Amino acid sequence: MKLFKSVYVFSCLLMLLLFGMSQATEVKAPPGNEKAEEATLVLFNRNIVVLRSTVLGMAPSERVKRAQARIDQQLEGVGGHQATAISAAPGMLIQIDGAGSFYIAPEDIDPFEQETLAGVAEQAVSALNHSLQEIQESHNVRAILRAVAYAGLATLVYGGLIWLLLKLRRIAIRKLLSFAHEKMAGLNHVGILLIRRERIHWLMRKGFQLLTWFIVLLLSYQWLGVMMSQFPFTRPWSEHLNGYLFGLIVMLGSSILKAIPDLFVACVIFMLAKLVAKGMHHFFDLVQNRSIEIAWLDADLVGPTRRIAAIALWLFALAMAYPYLPGSGTEAFKGVSVLVGLMLSMGASSLVGQAASGLILTYSRVYRKGEFIRIGEHEGTITELGMFSTRIRNGMGVELTLPNSYVLSNVTKNYSRVVSGDGFVVDTKVTIGYDTPWRQVQAMLIEAARRTPGVLTEPAPKVFQTALSDFYPEYLLICQAIPSEPRPRAEVINLLHANIQDVFNEYGVQIMSPHYLSDPENEKIVGQNDWYKKPASPP
């Protein structure tokens, strides 16, 4: 029911549009024409002739009004009427039943079309006779009844086709859904459905719905043309409809035929680009497998370089093939290009900045995947190097996504780059009073590092006195850990701090961090007997 209502509304709108177009009797002259105006003589909804010049002081619109009044007066008589054309230098006089109706001047000929005065007069006589016959037919009751009968029959056929189309659509959807159910039943892999049935059903229904609407619109178009062709007053509209559809088909067909050579060139360009892309892919595979050694291209940079080269290649191919694409020279294509350029210029500035930062970070080799870094307040192991962002996983197992512009604008500490071999640097700082020998402090810190699982003995841990503060020296312990150990850096640091406390407590040395104001009455150390007070338990 909704479909029939939509078809009815569409038909009414189309008729109103054609009726409004038929009422326009005056149009402005095309650019470059010296005439200020032009007017069309219309009789019984059919265009007879276009008048463009001023004759005896009368503008084209005034000439059209006089001609219409004269023709109405001539048609008041009963019987058939016949239009003819005679020469009336310098123009042609159009007559009905031997009496003058209107005059065609040489200046009425369109200067942009190859027309002659005799040809224009002949066309006007033919259209006028056609209109006279239709006027006579409109007064024939028998002809009107026959037209009504044909229109009713066309409506019944139209309704039957619509009903048949809807029924066929339901049958086709049911058959295809049943077929899809049978085929998708075998697409289960290890208990997981590879294709969602809901999406397949939705696509099938939408596809059939679009196809049905397209056929309904074609049927409605043809039905409307047949209906209008039965009645004299609406017959010109039917001719316009049929002419428009035929012209559209011819235009599309000719455009397709003309576009075939250009499409062939565009296809050749894209095929060449595809061949070059395959060659580049093979080349980058060889570099990544270290079969080819190139000084400027490291194996770690093959991934981003491959993507950048592929994007550049296809953009170049698109730019080369653009002039050969159908419609590339039309105003619509140009408008879309301007719109896309405006959107990119307004909204992609930050995106371009992020991409530029990503390229700088990638090719300057600030860090690599798998290295442990610290950026601002964030530290962790790099899990992904992207064009727009960098992802790191910290010691708590949380993945952080940092914009490349943020990474580039902050100081980056790389704990993996300076180590010998694989691994990352672990460092920590303690402050011990001046009453403790610095040699003893260094030995205790190295002992704590040796007790920590995952800390390498080679290279050996090192201790540096980084500052001699007012109340205590500052000691920095630096050692190297193995990334293959199942402990992340945060856990290694946690074990290192625990061992430092244990070693210092064993030797009775008080750690002065974080603040030191005065010596306490009793040293702040934990005896070995108190290491495992409840609820702690020994290992």
Side-chain angles (χ1 to χ4, degrees):
M1 199 62 188
K2 291 182 179 180
L3 184 60
F4 281 106
K5 290 181 180 179
S6 302
V7 172
Y8 174 74
V9 172
F10 169 77
S11 304
C12 293
L13 290 176
L14 188 57
M15 292 180 66
L16 289 174
L17 177 61
L18 291 173
F19 179 76
M21 293 173 60
S22 67
Q23 298 303 308
T25 59
E26 296 186 6
V27 294
K28 293 186 178 180
N33 195 351
E34 297 179 357
K35 303 302 180 183
E37 59 180 357
E38 62 183 30
T40 303
L41 176 61
V42 179
L43 179 63
F44 209 65
N45 204 22
R46 184 177 294 277
N47 294 340
I48 304 301
V49 68
V50 179
L51 304 180
R52 299 181 174 87
S53 63
T54 300
V55 178
L56 299 177
M58 292 184 294
S61 58
E62 182 65 24
R63 293 173 59 194
V64 166
K65 291 180 182 178
R66 287 178 176 269
Q68 288 176 339
R70 177 63 177 164
I71 293 173
D72 291 340
Q73 184 180 5
Q74 291 174 325
L75 295 182
E76 290 179 356
V78 296
H81 302 280
Q82 184 68 30
T84 56
I86 61 173
S87 176
M92 299 289 292
L93 179 64
I94 307 300
Q95 297 178 329
I96 295 180
D97 298 334
S101 301
F102 57 91
Y103 178 76
I104 301 177
E107 292 78 9
D108 291 326
I109 300 175
D110 191 351
F112 298 99
E113 296 184 7
Q114 296 180 353
E115 295 180 341
T116 62
L117 182 62
V120 173
E122 183 180 355
Q123 293 176 5
V125 169
S126 176
L128 186 57
N129 283 325
H130 203 165
S131 295
L132 294 176
Q133 293 176 4
E134 290 173 343
I135 292 174
Q136 185 178 0
E137 182 183 350
S138 65
H139 293 89
N140 189 334
V141 178
R142 185 175 181 180
I144 295 299
L145 292 177
R146 184 170 59 252
V148 171
Y150 283 137
L153 179 61
T155 303
L156 290 176
V157 173
Y158 169 73
L161 290 176
I162 295 294
W163 175 83
L164 181 61
L165 177 64
L166 296 177
K167 188 172 182 179
L168 289 176
R169 186 185 74 168
R170 288 193 294 268
I171 295 175
I173 290 177
R174 186 168 61 251
K175 293 291 185 181
L176 281 178
L177 290 180
S178 177
F179 177 77
H181 277 298
E182 295 177 359
K183 291 298 181 181
M184 287 189 295
L187 294 179
N188 286 339
H189 181 68
V190 197
I192 301 176
L193 191 62
L194 299 180
I195 302 178
R196 295 180 62 87
R197 292 183 178 181
E198 294 80 4
R199 294 184 178 180
I200 297 297
H201 294 174
W202 183 84
L203 288 175
M204 287 184 177
R205 293 183 186 276
K206 289 298 180 182
F208 272 100
Q209 186 177 3
L210 291 176
L211 179 61
T212 303
W213 272 106
F214 178 73
I215 297 176
V216 166
L217 289 177
L218 287 180
L219 291 176
S220 302
Y221 194 93
Q222 292 300 321
W223 168 78
L224 196 59
V226 172
M227 290 285 291
M228 291 180 178
S229 66
Q230 302 303 318
F231 303 96
F233 185 76
T234 58
R235 194 167 295 152
W237 294 351
S238 174
E239 294 172 0
H240 285 309
L241 281 177
N242 295 331
Y244 174 77
L245 183 60
F246 179 75
L248 181 62
I249 294 174
V250 172
M251 181 191 68
L252 292 176
S254 61
S255 300
I256 293 173
L257 292 177
K258 292 179 181 178
I260 288 177
D262 291 339
L263 283 176
F264 175 76
V265 175
C267 291
V268 170
I269 293 174
F270 288 124
M271 289 178 63
L272 291 176
K274 188 175 181 180
L275 291 176
V276 175
K278 286 185 177 180
M280 290 171 49
H281 183 74
H282 180 65
F283 168 74
F284 285 121
D285 285 342
L286 293 177
V287 175
Q288 191 171 21
N289 298 332
R290 303 186 187 276
S291 300
I292 299 178
E293 295 291 339
I294 298 180
W296 56 270
L297 183 59
D298 192 74
D300 297 334
L301 301 178
V302 168
T305 306
R306 186 202 304 268
R307 291 191 293 268
I308 294 172
I311 293 174
L313 173 65
W314 285 109
L315 286 178
F316 178 76
L318 181 61
M320 294 294 294
Y322 177 83
Y324 301 99
L325 296 178
S328 59
T330 61
E331 296 298 327
F333 227 107
K334 295 177 182 177
V336 171
S337 302
V338 173
L339 178 62
V340 172
L342 182 63
M343 292 173 61
L344 290 176
S345 62
M346 293 181 61
S349 57
S350 61
L351 193 66
V352 173
Q354 296 287 354
S357 301
L359 292 176
I360 294 173
L361 292 172
T362 300
Y363 288 97
S364 61
R365 302 183 181 181
V366 176
Y367 46 68
R368 299 174 182 174
K369 186 177 180 180
E371 293 182 342
F372 193 93
I373 63 172
R374 181 179 182 86
I375 304 171
E377 299 179 353
H378 310 287
E379 66 177 15
T381 303
I382 299 176
T383 59
E384 182 179 349
L385 295 174
M387 180 172 291
F388 304 105
S389 62
T390 299
R391 294 184 180 181
I392 63 175
R393 179 173 286 109
N394 61 15
M396 306 303 294
V398 178
E399 187 174 82
L400 305 177
T401 301
L402 306 178
N404 285 333
S405 59
Y406 172 82
V407 177
L408 194 63
S409 61
N410 284 272
V411 177
T412 302
K413 295 182 180 180
N414 195 324
Y415 294 98
S416 301
R417 185 64 58 85
V418 297
V419 300
S420 59
D422 296 331
F424 54 85
V425 172
V426 178
D427 60 343
T428 187
K429 182 182 294 185
V430 295
T431 55
I432 310 299
Y434 283 104
D435 55 344
T436 304
W438 63 268
R439 296 177 180 82
Q440 181 186 15
V441 175
Q442 289 187 356
M444 289 189 294
L445 290 175
I446 293 174
E447 176 65 22
R450 290 173 178 172
R451 293 184 184 182
T452 303
V455 174
L456 298 179
T457 57
E458 289 293 335
K462 294 182 179 181
V463 179
F464 300 92
Q465 297 188 49
T466 59
L468 298 177
S469 301
D470 293 338
F471 304 103
Y472 41 67
E474 296 182 9
Y475 298 89
L476 177 64
L477 171 63
I478 299 177
C479 51
Q480 183 176 338
I482 303 176
S484 59
E485 288 287 330
R487 298 182 179 86
R489 186 174 186 272
E491 188 173 348
V492 173
I493 292 178
N494 173 62
L495 295 174
L496 179 61
H497 288 167
N499 289 325
I500 289 175
Q501 294 182 64
D502 289 345
V503 171
F504 276 63
N505 286 324
E506 288 178 4
Y507 291 96
V509 177
Q510 177 180 345
I511 300 176
M512 310 301 290
S513 300
H515 298 288
Y516 175 79
L517 298 178
S518 62
D519 291 328
E521 295 181 1
N522 298 316
E523 293 183 349
K524 301 299 182 181
I525 60 175
V526 179
Q528 189 171 2
N529 296 331
D530 298 329
W531 284 5
Y532 302 105
K533 283 187 175 181
K534 293 182 179 181
S537 57

